[in-house]
mmCIF file of all heavy atoms in Angstrom:
data_model
loop_
_atom_site.group_PDB
_atom_site.id
_atom_site.type_symbol
_atom_site.label_atom_id
_atom_site.label_comp_id
_atom_site.label_asym_id
_atom_site.label_seq_id
_atom_site.Cartn_x
_atom_site.Cartn_y
_atom_site.Cartn_z
ATOM 1 N N THR A 34 0.254 6.529 -8.067
ATOM 2 C CA THR A 34 1.070 6.006 -9.340
ATOM 3 C C THR A 34 0.059 5.384 -10.214
ATOM 4 O O THR A 34 -0.845 4.676 -9.724
ATOM 5 C CB THR A 34 2.161 4.998 -8.908
ATOM 6 O OG1 THR A 34 3.041 5.762 -7.961
ATOM 7 C CG2 THR A 34 2.884 4.492 -10.191
ATOM 8 N N GLU A 35 0.129 5.573 -11.541
ATOM 9 C CA GLU A 35 -0.766 4.989 -12.482
ATOM 10 C C GLU A 35 -0.571 3.378 -12.431
ATOM 11 O O GLU A 35 0.463 2.877 -12.086
ATOM 12 C CB GLU A 35 -0.451 5.454 -13.812
ATOM 13 C CG GLU A 35 -0.734 6.939 -13.978
ATOM 14 C CD GLU A 35 -2.158 7.275 -14.037
ATOM 15 O OE1 GLU A 35 -3.030 6.304 -14.427
ATOM 16 O OE2 GLU A 35 -2.551 8.355 -13.511
ATOM 17 N N ALA A 36 -1.698 2.764 -12.770
ATOM 18 C CA ALA A 36 -1.632 1.270 -12.941
ATOM 19 C C ALA A 36 -0.715 0.792 -13.958
ATOM 20 O O ALA A 36 -0.383 1.527 -14.907
ATOM 21 C CB ALA A 36 -3.041 0.753 -13.305
ATOM 22 N N ASP A 37 -0.085 -0.279 -13.806
ATOM 23 C CA ASP A 37 1.030 -0.943 -14.635
ATOM 24 C C ASP A 37 0.703 -2.357 -14.825
ATOM 25 O O ASP A 37 -0.300 -2.887 -14.279
ATOM 26 C CB ASP A 37 2.394 -0.604 -14.092
ATOM 27 C CG ASP A 37 2.524 -1.197 -12.789
ATOM 28 O OD1 ASP A 37 1.967 -2.071 -12.387
ATOM 29 O OD2 ASP A 37 3.413 -0.430 -11.910
ATOM 30 N N GLU A 38 1.556 -3.001 -15.623
ATOM 31 C CA GLU A 38 1.338 -4.466 -15.907
ATOM 32 C C GLU A 38 1.363 -5.298 -14.663
ATOM 33 O O GLU A 38 0.622 -6.225 -14.556
ATOM 34 C CB GLU A 38 2.467 -4.846 -16.826
ATOM 35 C CG GLU A 38 2.193 -6.335 -17.340
ATOM 36 C CD GLU A 38 3.328 -6.784 -18.409
ATOM 37 O OE1 GLU A 38 4.016 -5.828 -18.816
ATOM 38 O OE2 GLU A 38 3.353 -7.942 -18.743
ATOM 39 N N GLY A 39 2.263 -4.928 -13.680
ATOM 40 C CA GLY A 39 2.232 -5.733 -12.503
ATOM 41 C C GLY A 39 1.116 -5.459 -11.550
ATOM 42 O O GLY A 39 0.760 -6.210 -10.533
ATOM 43 N N HIS A 40 0.603 -4.182 -11.637
ATOM 44 C CA HIS A 40 -0.583 -3.819 -10.772
ATOM 45 C C HIS A 40 -1.588 -3.154 -11.581
ATOM 46 O O HIS A 40 -1.835 -1.898 -11.575
ATOM 47 C CB HIS A 40 -0.004 -2.781 -9.765
ATOM 48 C CG HIS A 40 1.178 -3.285 -8.918
ATOM 49 N ND1 HIS A 40 2.509 -3.083 -9.452
ATOM 50 C CD2 HIS A 40 1.236 -3.823 -7.713
ATOM 51 C CE1 HIS A 40 3.344 -3.638 -8.426
ATOM 52 N NE2 HIS A 40 2.624 -4.060 -7.563
ATOM 53 N N PRO A 41 -2.370 -4.024 -12.192
ATOM 54 C CA PRO A 41 -3.432 -3.521 -13.174
ATOM 55 C C PRO A 41 -4.472 -2.675 -12.600
ATOM 56 O O PRO A 41 -5.227 -1.858 -13.264
ATOM 57 C CB PRO A 41 -4.004 -4.793 -13.754
ATOM 58 C CG PRO A 41 -3.798 -5.872 -12.818
ATOM 59 C CD PRO A 41 -2.555 -5.463 -12.227
ATOM 60 N N PHE A 42 -4.719 -2.833 -11.220
ATOM 61 C CA PHE A 42 -5.727 -1.855 -10.647
ATOM 62 C C PHE A 42 -5.096 -0.847 -9.745
ATOM 63 O O PHE A 42 -5.824 -0.306 -8.934
ATOM 64 C CB PHE A 42 -6.651 -2.800 -9.792
ATOM 65 C CG PHE A 42 -7.593 -3.697 -10.585
ATOM 66 C CD1 PHE A 42 -7.292 -5.160 -10.574
ATOM 67 C CD2 PHE A 42 -8.635 -3.287 -11.376
ATOM 68 C CE1 PHE A 42 -7.993 -5.942 -11.428
ATOM 69 C CE2 PHE A 42 -9.260 -4.146 -12.120
ATOM 70 C CZ PHE A 42 -9.149 -5.496 -12.157
ATOM 71 N N GLY A 43 -3.844 -0.511 -10.041
ATOM 72 C CA GLY A 43 -3.215 0.546 -9.336
ATOM 73 C C GLY A 43 -2.615 0.144 -8.100
ATOM 74 O O GLY A 43 -2.353 -0.988 -7.865
ATOM 75 N N HIS A 44 -2.162 1.212 -7.287
ATOM 76 C CA HIS A 44 -1.384 0.853 -6.122
ATOM 77 C C HIS A 44 -2.006 1.386 -4.881
ATOM 78 O O HIS A 44 -1.353 1.892 -3.964
ATOM 79 C CB HIS A 44 -0.007 1.561 -6.255
ATOM 80 C CG HIS A 44 0.708 1.158 -7.409
ATOM 81 N ND1 HIS A 44 0.494 1.612 -8.746
ATOM 82 C CD2 HIS A 44 1.821 0.344 -7.554
ATOM 83 C CE1 HIS A 44 1.326 1.142 -9.593
ATOM 84 N NE2 HIS A 44 2.102 0.355 -8.956
ATOM 85 N N LYS A 45 -3.434 1.392 -4.838
ATOM 86 C CA LYS A 45 -4.143 1.916 -3.723
ATOM 87 C C LYS A 45 -3.910 1.267 -2.359
ATOM 88 O O LYS A 45 -4.146 1.855 -1.271
ATOM 89 C CB LYS A 45 -5.662 1.786 -4.096
ATOM 90 C CG LYS A 45 -6.093 2.611 -5.237
ATOM 91 C CD LYS A 45 -5.859 4.137 -5.049
ATOM 92 C CE LYS A 45 -6.412 4.915 -6.189
ATOM 93 N NZ LYS A 45 -5.817 4.823 -7.587
ATOM 94 N N ARG A 46 -3.426 0.102 -2.422
ATOM 95 C CA ARG A 46 -3.163 -0.666 -1.041
ATOM 96 C C ARG A 46 -1.853 -0.178 -0.331
ATOM 97 O O ARG A 46 -1.587 -0.605 0.733
ATOM 98 C CB ARG A 46 -3.017 -2.144 -1.318
ATOM 99 C CG ARG A 46 -4.362 -2.827 -1.449
ATOM 100 C CD ARG A 46 -4.319 -4.290 -1.562
ATOM 101 N NE ARG A 46 -5.589 -4.980 -1.619
ATOM 102 C CZ ARG A 46 -6.334 -5.354 -2.674
ATOM 103 N NH1 ARG A 46 -5.611 -5.197 -3.885
ATOM 104 N NH2 ARG A 46 -7.413 -5.894 -2.682
ATOM 105 N N ALA A 47 -1.171 0.714 -0.940
ATOM 106 C CA ALA A 47 0.096 1.213 -0.362
ATOM 107 C C ALA A 47 -0.167 1.949 0.959
ATOM 108 O O ALA A 47 0.535 1.780 1.918
ATOM 109 C CB ALA A 47 0.735 2.265 -1.302
ATOM 110 N N GLU A 48 -1.261 2.700 1.033
ATOM 111 C CA GLU A 48 -1.564 3.454 2.266
ATOM 112 C C GLU A 48 -1.922 2.632 3.413
ATOM 113 O O GLU A 48 -1.424 2.818 4.537
ATOM 114 C CB GLU A 48 -2.789 4.369 1.928
ATOM 115 C CG GLU A 48 -2.370 5.608 1.060
ATOM 116 C CD GLU A 48 -3.438 6.689 0.890
ATOM 117 O OE1 GLU A 48 -4.254 6.826 1.873
ATOM 118 O OE2 GLU A 48 -3.422 7.352 -0.139
ATOM 119 N N PRO A 49 -2.741 1.548 3.251
ATOM 120 C CA PRO A 49 -3.025 0.594 4.402
ATOM 121 C C PRO A 49 -1.661 -0.074 4.883
ATOM 122 O O PRO A 49 -1.553 -0.363 6.213
ATOM 123 C CB PRO A 49 -4.082 -0.405 3.851
ATOM 124 C CG PRO A 49 -4.615 0.326 2.741
ATOM 125 C CD PRO A 49 -3.670 1.133 2.161
ATOM 126 N N ILE A 50 -0.825 -0.401 4.010
ATOM 127 C CA ILE A 50 0.495 -1.024 4.549
ATOM 128 C C ILE A 50 1.202 -0.118 5.450
ATOM 129 O O ILE A 50 1.714 -0.516 6.511
ATOM 130 C CB ILE A 50 1.357 -1.388 3.211
ATOM 131 C CG1 ILE A 50 0.755 -2.491 2.515
ATOM 132 C CG2 ILE A 50 2.708 -1.919 3.760
ATOM 133 C CD1 ILE A 50 1.411 -2.783 1.205
ATOM 134 N N ALA A 51 1.326 1.255 5.102
ATOM 135 C CA ALA A 51 1.872 2.207 5.923
ATOM 136 C C ALA A 51 1.187 2.228 7.268
ATOM 137 O O ALA A 51 1.773 2.413 8.289
ATOM 138 C CB ALA A 51 2.038 3.510 5.218
ATOM 139 N N GLY A 52 -0.159 2.129 7.300
ATOM 140 C CA GLY A 52 -0.953 2.229 8.444
ATOM 141 C C GLY A 52 -0.609 1.150 9.409
ATOM 142 O O GLY A 52 -0.520 1.390 10.678
ATOM 143 N N LEU A 53 -0.294 -0.017 8.855
ATOM 144 C CA LEU A 53 0.022 -1.181 9.744
ATOM 145 C C LEU A 53 1.441 -0.852 10.387
ATOM 146 O O LEU A 53 1.575 -1.242 11.506
ATOM 147 C CB LEU A 53 0.008 -2.495 8.995
ATOM 148 C CG LEU A 53 -1.292 -3.013 8.605
ATOM 149 C CD1 LEU A 53 -1.136 -4.253 7.702
ATOM 150 C CD2 LEU A 53 -2.156 -3.291 9.735
ATOM 151 N N ILE A 54 2.269 -0.384 9.614
ATOM 152 C CA ILE A 54 3.647 -0.111 10.280
ATOM 153 C C ILE A 54 3.474 0.915 11.347
ATOM 154 O O ILE A 54 4.216 0.715 12.333
ATOM 155 C CB ILE A 54 4.612 0.497 9.135
ATOM 156 C CG1 ILE A 54 4.784 -0.622 8.033
ATOM 157 C CG2 ILE A 54 5.886 0.934 9.674
ATOM 158 C CD1 ILE A 54 5.562 -0.053 6.763
ATOM 159 N N VAL A 55 2.739 1.855 11.150
ATOM 160 C CA VAL A 55 2.560 2.929 12.204
ATOM 161 C C VAL A 55 1.875 2.266 13.504
ATOM 162 O O VAL A 55 2.186 2.723 14.544
ATOM 163 C CB VAL A 55 1.627 4.060 11.660
ATOM 164 C CG1 VAL A 55 1.278 5.006 12.814
ATOM 165 C CG2 VAL A 55 2.394 4.900 10.502
ATOM 166 N N ALA A 56 0.837 1.399 13.174
ATOM 167 C CA ALA A 56 0.210 0.727 14.288
ATOM 168 C C ALA A 56 1.246 -0.149 15.154
ATOM 169 O O ALA A 56 1.151 0.004 16.484
ATOM 170 C CB ALA A 56 -0.892 -0.096 13.738
ATOM 171 N N VAL A 57 2.019 -0.845 14.540
ATOM 172 C CA VAL A 57 2.992 -1.666 15.141
ATOM 173 C C VAL A 57 3.972 -0.749 16.025
ATOM 174 O O VAL A 57 4.237 -0.924 17.258
ATOM 175 C CB VAL A 57 3.830 -2.422 14.226
ATOM 176 C CG1 VAL A 57 4.991 -3.213 15.046
ATOM 177 C CG2 VAL A 57 3.002 -3.523 13.549
ATOM 178 N N LEU A 58 4.482 0.348 15.441
ATOM 179 C CA LEU A 58 5.333 1.316 16.082
ATOM 180 C C LEU A 58 4.627 1.865 17.248
ATOM 181 O O LEU A 58 5.282 2.082 18.314
ATOM 182 C CB LEU A 58 5.753 2.308 15.161
ATOM 183 C CG LEU A 58 6.700 3.488 15.668
ATOM 184 C CD1 LEU A 58 8.059 2.752 16.309
ATOM 185 C CD2 LEU A 58 7.004 4.413 14.644
ATOM 186 N N ALA A 59 3.349 2.202 17.065
ATOM 187 C CA ALA A 59 2.584 2.884 18.252
ATOM 188 C C ALA A 59 2.510 1.793 19.441
ATOM 189 O O ALA A 59 2.610 2.141 20.595
ATOM 190 C CB ALA A 59 1.098 3.118 17.795
ATOM 191 N N GLY A 60 2.315 0.493 19.076
ATOM 192 C CA GLY A 60 2.152 -0.536 20.218
ATOM 193 C C GLY A 60 3.579 -0.548 20.924
ATOM 194 O O GLY A 60 3.624 -0.559 22.214
ATOM 195 N N ILE A 61 4.672 -0.496 20.267
ATOM 196 C CA ILE A 61 6.029 -0.591 20.934
ATOM 197 C C ILE A 61 6.272 0.781 21.791
ATOM 198 O O ILE A 61 6.625 0.610 22.964
ATOM 199 C CB ILE A 61 7.165 -0.664 19.937
ATOM 200 C CG1 ILE A 61 6.868 -2.092 19.195
ATOM 201 C CG2 ILE A 61 8.527 -0.527 20.554
ATOM 202 C CD1 ILE A 61 7.891 -2.132 17.946
#
């Protein structure tokens, strides 16, 4: 998604957040 006023440098951190969710699920 293109950068916007709330996220001036884009949304590149979305993928690592998903990775953390997967890691927690893997532990369970």
